Amino acid sequence: SKWVNLGTDEAAVIEVLAHRTIAQRQSIKEAYKQTVGKDLADDLQGELTGNVEKVVLGLLMIAPMYDAYELRTAIKGSGTEEAALIDILASRTNAEIRAITEAYMKEHGKSLEDDIEADTSGMFKRVLVSLLTAGRDESNSVNETQAVQDAKEIYEAGEACWGTDEVKFLTVLCVRNRNHLLRVFEEYQKISGRDIEDSIKREMSGSLEDVFLAIVKCLRNKPAFFAERLYKSMKGLGTTDSVLIRIMVARAEIDMLDIKTEFFKAYGKTLHSFIHGDSSGDYRKILLELCGE
C-alpha cells in the first residue's frame, strides 16, 4: 500500500523523496522495482509534469548520473545551454569529473569530450576540454616564484598587450592548484591594480568570459559562486528554472548550508525567502524541502 499513491499523489512523492538522502532514494528505487516490477522514475515521469517532474527525476539519480544527464540535455537541445556546461565543469573536482565522464558514456553510449567538442568552438571549447581531462593539481603547495611568474604572464597576456593571449589564462587557471591560484590572484592584483575577475570581464566576452569567471569564483569560494547563480536565476523578471533546479538538486547534500550562508551574506535575504517568493505550489514545496530552513 506504501506504493499505491506514489504514482498519483504529488504531495506524497515530495514528502517521501525530498526528505531522504541520495543513498536512501536509491534504496527506495530498488524496493519499488522489487515490489511492483516497474521503474519508479518511469512511473513518476508518467504522472508528474513540468518543474516538479524535473526536480523529482533529478533526485532519483546519483550525483554523476545527474550531472551527466544535465550535460546531455544542455548539448542535445537546439542551441547548447552553455550555462550548464560551465556551472558543472568549472565547479566539480577531478574525481567528480571522472565519474561524470564514466556515467555519460554508460548512459548515453558516447564520449562526453567528443560531444562537447562537436557542440562548442574556439577557445571556449579548449577550456572545457582542458577541464574534462580532470588534471588539475590538487595538492596544497604554493610555489612562490611560480605564482609571481604566473601572475606576470597572465598580466602580460592580457592587460599589458593588444589582444589577449587566452591560452596563458587557460594554462594557469585550469592546471594549477587552488592555494597556488589564490596566491596568483593576490600577485595579479598587486601587478595590475585590479582583480583578475575585472580583467577577465574587460578582455573577454561571451562564454569564454563566463567560464573563466566561473573557474575563478569557484576557486575563491564555491558556495558563494552557487549563491550568486541562484540569486541571478531568480531576481528580476522570470525565473531561470533550469539553473535553479540544477543547483538545488545537485548541491543539496554537498554544500547547501554554506550556499545559504553565502546567499544571506551577499544579498541580505535568506535563500528560503527568495525561493518562496519566486515559485509556487508543489514546485515551491519541493525546492524549500531541499533548501531547508
Side-chain angles (χ1 to χ4, degrees):
S1 70
K2 187 168 153 200
W3 303 122
V4 177
N5 307 342
L6 205 50
T8 45
D9 184 354
E10 212 167 79
V13 172
I14 291 169
E15 204 53 42
V16 171
L17 295 178
H19 275 119
R20 302 297 187 278
T21 63
I22 295 173
Q24 288 168 329
R25 288 193 287 263
Q26 294 307 305
S27 310
I28 291 172
K29 263 167 66 172
E30 280 307 302
Y32 187 85
K33 195 172 270 187
Q34 232 174 358
T35 317
V36 300
K38 289 166 87 182
D39 185 80
L40 180 56
D42 291 349
D43 269 8
L44 290 175
Q45 206 159 4
E47 297 292 342
L48 305 171
T49 54
N51 288 326
V52 175
E53 179 189 4
K54 287 182 183 140
V55 175
V56 168
L57 293 179
L59 290 175
L60 288 172
M61 298 177 204
I62 56 172
M65 272 316 176
Y66 182 60
D67 283 344
Y69 169 79
E70 285 288 293
L71 290 168
R72 182 76 193 124
T73 308
I75 290 167
K76 77 173 199 298
S78 54
T80 307
E81 194 211 335
E82 283 87 2
L85 305 183
I86 295 168
D87 279 352
I88 295 171
L89 297 178
S91 65
R92 303 310 192 247
T93 64
N94 289 350
E96 286 167 341
I97 287 181
R98 282 192 287 270
I100 293 165
T101 307
E102 270 170 44
Y104 193 94
M105 182 53 104
K106 190 174 150 196
E107 275 305 289
H108 308 292
K110 295 187 159 112
S111 141
L112 176 56
E113 189 184 319
D114 290 351
D115 277 1
I116 283 179
E117 284 197 328
D119 222 56
T120 54
S121 62
M123 204 60 199
F124 177 56
K125 168 169 88 175
R126 289 169 64 175
V127 173
L128 296 180
V129 168
S130 170
L131 293 172
L132 277 172
T133 61
R136 180 184 297 284
D137 167 23
E138 285 186 336
S139 73
N140 293 319
S141 60
V142 178
N143 176 334
E144 276 301 324
T145 330
Q146 184 68 56
V148 174
Q149 184 64 24
D150 284 344
K152 218 170 110 206
E153 286 191 357
I154 299 182
Y155 176 66
E156 282 163 5
E159 288 283 357
C161 69
W162 286 95
T164 305
D165 175 6
E166 289 138 352
V167 182
K168 274 280 180 287
F169 279 81
L170 185 158
T171 306
V172 174
L173 292 178
C174 297
V175 179
R176 309 279 192 262
N177 73 59
R178 177 170 181 260
N179 281 358
H180 180 86
L181 282 167
L182 293 176
R183 205 48 214 94
V184 172
F185 301 158
E186 275 175 30
E187 277 304 316
Y188 186 88
Q189 166 78 47
K190 271 188 215 161
I191 301 169
S192 70
R194 58 168 54 98
D195 278 339
I196 183 123
E197 290 93 327
D198 293 337
S199 291
I200 290 169
K201 284 181 196 156
R202 284 160 58 99
E203 294 169 51
M204 299 178 196
S205 59
S207 299
L208 184 63
E209 175 189 346
D210 293 341
V211 74
F212 277 140
L213 281 177
I215 292 169
V216 171
K217 286 174 181 178
C218 284
L219 288 161
R220 283 201 199 269
N221 182 339
K222 201 178 286 183
F225 167 75
F226 286 120
E228 183 189 3
R229 295 289 294 136
L230 286 168
Y231 177 74
K232 287 186 170 163
S233 78
M234 291 183 279
K235 85 168 192 5
L237 288 171
T239 302
T240 315
D241 292 300
S242 58
V243 175
L244 178 55
I245 292 169
R246 180 167 55 245
I247 295 174
M248 295 307 292
V249 171
R251 307 313 288 185
E253 281 177 51
I254 300 178
D255 49 8
M256 189 54 70
L257 281 174
D258 298 325
I259 291 171
K260 290 195 291 188
T261 305
E262 294 296 339
F263 192 95
F264 188 74
K265 220 193 280 181
Y267 308 110
K269 291 200 173 74
T270 64
L271 177 58
H272 193 280
S273 71
F274 238 75
I275 291 171
H276 193 277
D278 224 66
S279 51
S280 59
D282 283 334
Y283 178 45
R284 171 200 279 169
K285 204 164 149 189
I286 198 162
L287 288 179
L288 290 178
E289 287 288 350
L290 293 174
C291 174
E293 281 307 325

